Amino acid sequence: MISIQPRTSDAVDSISVDPVRGVVRATFSSGTYEYTGISRRAILNLIVNPNMSLGFWVNENILAKKYHDYKRLPVSMLA
């Protein structure tokens, strides 16, 4: 997983991505979720554009799409 550098976001605390597998792990105030089936092109776009808002990216590429699967990760898996 590649950790995305922290950016100003009210909704997203942190994001790690795996562009090869199309996996995104996002941490919100409500917990950490792992999303699969995310566009590899969208993930690469996030990596190469350091000024992109994490909240905007999550809304547009994860939450607005209906083709991905997700699960909430227990705290023990995050260490």
Side-chain angles (χ1 to χ4, degrees), residues 9 19 22 27 44 49 55 65 67-68 73 75:
S9 176
T27 301
L44 291 174
N49 289 305
K65 306 293 182 187
Y67 58 84
H68 65 273
L73 299 177
V75 176

Side-chain angles (χ1 to χ4, degrees), residues 1-69:
M1 296 287 269
I2 299 169
S3 293
I4 301 299
Q5 292 297 321
R7 302 174 191 176
T8 303
S9 176
D10 292 333
V12 181
D13 294 333
S14 66
I15 290 184
S16 296
V17 298
D18 184 341
V20 174
R21 296 186 307 133
V23 175
V24 174
R25 189 176 289 169
T27 301
F28 306 94
S29 61
S30 63
T32 299
Y33 296 83
E34 185 172 274
Y35 301 91
T36 57
I38 306 303
S39 165
R40 289 162 179 83
R41 182 176 290 165
I43 293 171
L44 291 174
N45 189 32
L46 177 65
I47 292 169
V48 300
N49 289 305
N51 294 328
M52 186 179 299
S53 161
L54 296 180
F56 174 80
W57 188 88
V58 167
N59 282 332
E60 291 295 314
N61 296 287
I62 295 178
L63 301 179
K65 306 293 182 187
K66 303 296 182 201
Y67 58 84
H68 65 273
D69 293 321

